[in-house]
Every structure is written in C-alpha cells, then in structure tokens.
Amino acid sequence: MHPSKKSKRPSKRQNRKSNPSAPPFNLCSSSPPSFSEAIASVSEVLKSRKKILVLSGAGISVSCGIPDFRSPQGLYANLDTQELGLVCPEDLFDLECFQDDPSPFYKFAKALYFPLGNDKRVEPSDSHRFLALLEKQGKLLRVYTQNIDGLEEVAGVSPKRMVYAHGSLRWATCVKCKQKVSASAIEKSVKKGQVAHCQVSLKSPKCIPAPSKRVKRSRSSSNEEAPARISTRSTAYESQCPTKCSGVLKPDVTFFGETLQDKVRRCLEADRDKADALIVIGTSLSVSPMSKVIQYLPPNIPRILINRTIVSPPPYSPGDDESDEKDNEEQEFREDYTFDAYLLGFCDDVTRALVKEMEAENVQNEVEGQILSAMGRSDTTSSEHGWQTTPIPHDRILLFPGAIASTGDTNEGSSYVEVAHCDGCNNKIIGTIRKCIQCFDYDLCHECYPRMSKKHFNGEHKFAVDKQETEFF
C-alpha cells in the first residue's frame, strides 16, 4: 500500500454496540427510556471500572451543615463584607488581603472550622461514604476534592487516594518560619475570632544560653545544706532573645493568588492514562484550574455528573494547534453533551440510589438510606420547571429531588472566565493563554511563550491557545 494513502476503516458509529460500558455509553435501550434501567446502567458502568477518578466539590458537604460558596444560599451570598472590611466576598480568601490583614479571615474562620457550633464536629455525608465504598470495592483511583473540610478521610477514604486541590483546614503554616501545625493549635484563636500566631520557640544559636553549672555535692555526712544550683542564664537573654516566633499562622488552604501544590499536577499527570471513568460530583466547575480536569482526561472514558444543576467545563480553543486525529474520532460521539449521564438532584439521594444498585446483595451496607422518588418527567412537570429547553438529550438526564433546571443562555448552563498565572513569570495572564496540552495546568503568557515553550520538555509538547477577554473578578 502506498505510504501516502490510508486504508478506509469502518465508521465508529457502525461498530458501536448497545453496551453501557463502551462508547457512546448509551444508558437505555428501551423506548420510552426507563428511569430504573438508566440507574442500573450507570451502576453497571461503575461496577465494570477499576480506576475511577472523582472530582468533588462543596455540594457533597452541604448536607453536613457546611455551606457551599457560590449558590444563592452559599457562603459568599451571606457574607457581611462591610462588617469584615472587605470589598467583595472573594477577598476573604485572597492572599494579598490576608498578608495585609489576616483579621477579617480569622473573624470569619469559626464559621469554617465549626459550622455547627463550638463543640459539634461535622460528620461525613452519604456522598462521602459513597467514595469510601468505591475504594473498598477496589474501584477508586483518586479523589480530587476542591473541599477543605477533610470529610472524605473521615468517611474512610485513605490519605493515599486523596488530593486536596485547594488545601485543607486540618493544618496551618507559619508565614514567617514555615512551621506546620495541626488545626488544634489554632482552635482557641479561631473560636475567639482572633489571629493565630506561631508559638514555636526560636532556635537561633545566638540566643541559646550556656548550660547551667552545677556544684559537686560533698560526700560529707554533715547536715549542712547543699549549695544551690548556679545558673548562667541572665535576664538580658530573656529580653534580647524572644522565645516565640509569633508569625501569623495561615491555614493550609489555597487562596486566590496562590498556585496549586505540585502534588495536584503530579498526580493528575500520573493518573491521566490510568483513569477508566470520571465522576464529577457537587461542583459548579467554575474555579480554575480544576475545572479543566475534564478536558485533560482521555475523552473515551465514561463521564458521570452528580449535581443539582447541569454544569459544563470551560470552553476550549485549540487555536493554531491541530488536535490529534485519534482524539477527534473519540470525541465525535458526544455531539450535544459533555457527560454521558446527568444525575441531577441532592448528591446524597443520587449516591444512595447508586449504592442500592451496586450493593443489591448487601442491603445492610452503611451507605444505604431511603431513596426518594425521582421527579416526574411528564410534559406538564417538565414545562413548569424549565426542562423542555434543556439542549442535552433527555434520555441522559435523570432527575432526583433537588434538581434545578438551568436558566442561562449557555449550552449547559454555566458561564466561565478563567484566571491563569504564567508558569514562566508567575504573573496573572491577561489576554491570550498558551496551554500545554500534555501537562495539567501549565500555562504561559504571550511574552514568555516563545522562550519557555522551547525549554518545556525540550519543545516536544504542544500548546493550545485560549483567549480571555475579561478578568474573573
């Protein structure tokens, strides 16, 4: 065969079988589609996987009493910025604002650490336990959580399976000496609404006094009192050499203006080719760079959304770089949708329904609870709640109590503008963003791109172009 000619392969559409575990992951074969069949199909997909990657957000912790950030009832909507002296709610987690004055954060910190009150500890939800069940069944590759509460580990997910994309409240670090302490070290300050300071003793050699001198005790049998211990420690040492660091303790949460920990990038790059399914649960996909995870992973793995509303990842612009032919072929089966199954409603109700299907022989499983009736899909109900205008194929949308129809003008209900920092100069990128296709969250600005792209993996990696017209805040 001539090397310039390619043999014509059978169309992927011709080779597709009615198999929920293979692309295009059709959930229902019956007409009209059955709700119970669709749930069973989603469960069948999960049961057939061994390396499920999970991207979780605040929605899985709301039922625990922890508010999310961006909903109408969320943290930002109810934050009294005037009382805290903030310009906008996002300033609460802005690095520059914290460095200038950490007191607004600590005045509000009690609501983050103790949302149920001083003496009440938050318990994990059924959604957290669902993730622990996936690991117990040998199906979990990794959980990338945008939450900072650490409830996944409390529910039973092992630390090696966890990546805290935005950090965790379980630790704090001194901005001065970089000493790391547990959350218990700042608990008193948090409850009082006061800034927590580092209590680590300084160990500068110049401040260490000479050891105390002892007088050798006589073996005489007389009753004379032994000489007192003589100390060389002087009061001048106490006044000139402070014993405490006293630096401000910053919770190990990723603030706006901070880059993600290297662990996030390393794990995602290692997990990219291992993942055989993706679950996005309880997140609006509105915060970069975790909102880009969907596009970073291979397109030919099943994607399942568990959320109250329909969400979509940010738009992707390949620019001058052409996408790989194989990726185009794999992506063509998703023409009007991003996820293969949209399980919309309260996360706990959805996960309980999935567990019931996955653990049909073990009805005593602790994750199980009462499964509420799905919202009716009659024409009247659909019209009243705005579902008729949803452009996504209706046989892929399963409605549970708490589902909210999208009212936006975008294809899947969420708008997005990314904030990116250049990995070359560390400055915020305004305008054109050059993204490395092979790496996760490696971005370059227009000025750094010509030089840094040649050094990055010796120029072997390709970059895509994404143009941003406005800033995030």
Side-chain angles (χ1 to χ4, degrees):
M1 184 172 63
H2 195 277
S4 63
K5 296 182 180 180
K6 295 183 179 180
S7 61
K8 188 175 181 180
R9 293 179 294 178
S11 171
K12 284 180 178 281
R13 296 182 184 271
Q14 297 174 358
N15 289 338
R16 289 172 188 159
K17 299 179 181 180
S18 180
N19 181 1
S21 297
F25 311 112
N26 292 319
L27 302 181
C28 298
S29 58
S30 62
S31 183
S34 166
F35 178 83
S36 58
E37 179 189 0
I39 286 291
S41 296
V42 175
S43 299
E44 191 64 33
V45 169
L46 297 180
K47 287 192 289 186
S48 67
R49 304 292 151 164
K50 298 295 182 183
K51 300 289 182 181
I52 300 175
L53 189 147
V54 178
L55 176 60
S56 65
I60 68 173
S61 296
V62 171
S63 63
C64 306
I66 301 176
D68 62 8
F69 284 79
R70 289 177 166 78
S71 73
Q73 297 78 33
L75 186 148
Y76 288 161
N78 295 283
L79 191 68
D80 191 339
T81 55
Q82 185 175 1
E83 181 182 350
L84 295 176
L86 302 175
V87 176
C88 63
E90 288 81 4
D91 283 350
L92 188 69
F93 295 97
D94 185 88
L95 181 61
E96 291 186 4
C97 292
F98 184 88
Q99 291 173 336
D100 291 341
D101 183 10
S103 60
F105 176 86
Y106 271 99
K107 288 179 181 178
F108 187 81
K110 183 178 177 181
L112 296 174
Y113 284 86
F114 304 97
L116 304 181
N118 281 349
D119 301 321
K120 296 182 179 179
R121 298 293 177 179
V122 178
E123 295 295 328
S125 67
D126 282 348
S127 297
H128 294 110
R129 297 189 181 96
F130 170 68
L131 304 182
L133 177 64
L134 292 178
E135 181 179 12
K136 182 179 178 181
Q137 293 182 340
K139 302 180 183 301
L140 184 64
L141 173 61
R142 199 96 60 188
V143 175
Y144 291 83
T145 182
Q146 300 172 91
N147 298 336
I148 57 179
D149 50 49
L151 290 178
E152 293 89 354
E153 287 190 49
V154 178
V157 180
S158 60
K160 67 179 181 180
R161 299 292 179 188
M162 289 299 307
V163 174
Y164 293 96
H166 296 160
S168 173
L169 291 172
R170 302 177 69 180
W171 301 92
T173 300
C174 176
V175 299
K176 184 177 179 181
C177 70
K178 307 306 178 184
Q179 176 71 28
K180 197 181 189 73
V181 299
S182 66
S184 60
I186 66 173
E187 184 173 311
K188 291 183 179 180
S189 297
V190 168
K191 289 182 177 180
K192 294 179 181 179
Q194 300 174 351
V195 177
H197 293 278
C198 181
Q199 300 300 309
V200 173
S201 299
L202 297 178
K203 298 181 179 180
S204 173
K206 296 181 180 180
C207 294
I208 297 179
S212 301
K213 293 183 178 180
R214 295 174 179 267
V215 176
K216 189 174 181 180
R217 193 168 186 173
S218 172
R219 292 182 178 270
S220 171
S221 58
S222 65
N223 294 327
E224 294 181 357
E225 185 176 352
R229 182 183 300 178
I230 300 176
S231 175
T232 59
R233 191 184 300 269
S234 64
T235 56
Y237 165 76
E238 298 290 346
S239 60
Q240 296 177 5
C241 298
T243 58
K244 304 294 183 183
C245 170
S246 298
V248 174
L249 288 169
K250 175 187 171 295
D252 284 357
V253 177
T254 303
F255 279 44
F256 294 114
E258 287 185 296
T259 58
L260 295 187
Q261 298 179 3
D262 289 339
K263 181 181 179 180
V264 180
R265 180 183 295 178
R266 291 197 310 268
C267 288
L268 268 174
E269 292 176 359
D271 293 344
R272 183 182 191 182
D273 295 329
K274 298 177 184 178
D276 58 13
L278 171 66
I279 296 177
V280 175
I281 179 171
T283 174
S284 62
L285 292 178
S286 60
V287 179
S288 174
M290 298 311 296
S291 55
K292 300 184 289 186
V293 169
I294 298 176
Q295 297 171 336
Y296 182 72
L297 296 176
N300 61 338
I301 62 174
R303 303 168 181 165
I304 299 171
L305 174 68
I306 303 174
N307 201 51
R308 293 193 66 186
T309 60
I310 296 174
V311 297
S312 63
Y316 179 71
S317 305
D320 298 332
D321 297 304
E322 296 183 358
S323 299
D324 186 80
E325 179 183 355
K326 180 179 179 181
D327 288 344
N328 284 332
E329 291 180 348
E330 294 290 359
Q331 285 194 359
E332 69 177 8
F333 65 83
R334 292 189 184 97
E335 296 174 351
D336 300 316
Y337 57 96
T338 299
F339 296 93
D340 302 292
Y342 292 77
L343 280 58
L344 305 182
F346 296 120
C347 294
D348 289 350
D349 291 332
V350 176
T351 54
R352 282 195 289 262
L354 290 174
V355 168
K356 182 180 179 181
E357 291 290 338
M358 296 175 67
E359 292 284 292
E361 298 180 359
N362 183 13
V363 296
Q364 300 299 324
N365 191 279
E366 63 176 3
V367 183
E368 280 201 327
Q370 183 180 0
I371 300 178
L372 305 179
S373 300
M375 182 183 296
R377 289 304 304 270
S378 64
D379 292 343
T380 302
T381 303
S382 178
S383 176
E384 288 177 354
H385 293 275
W387 292 105
Q388 285 185 337
T389 59
T390 301
I392 299 167
H394 288 193
D395 60 351
R396 297 188 178 277
I397 301 176
L398 308 181
L399 300 179
F400 290 77
I404 301 176
S406 168
T407 58
D409 297 328
T410 57
N411 188 40
E412 295 188 19
S414 64
S415 59
Y416 176 91
V417 178
E418 180 184 352
V419 171
H421 288 78
C422 177
D423 285 276
C425 62
N426 293 324
N427 294 325
K428 182 188 294 185
I429 302 177
I430 305 298
T432 300
I433 303 175
R434 299 277 184 167
K435 303 172 177 292
C436 178
I437 297 176
Q438 286 91 335
C439 296
F440 178 76
D441 193 36
Y442 187 87
D443 303 325
L444 294 175
C445 65
H446 179 73
E447 290 75 16
C448 293
Y449 173 73
R451 173 175 54 88
M452 297 299 297
S453 61
K454 295 179 181 179
K455 295 182 179 181
H456 184 62
F457 284 87
N458 296 321
E460 297 178 359
H461 282 196
K462 294 182 179 180
F463 283 76
V465 177
D466 191 8
K467 293 183 179 180
Q468 298 292 336
E469 302 298 335
T470 57
E471 296 187 20
F472 186 65
F473 302 124

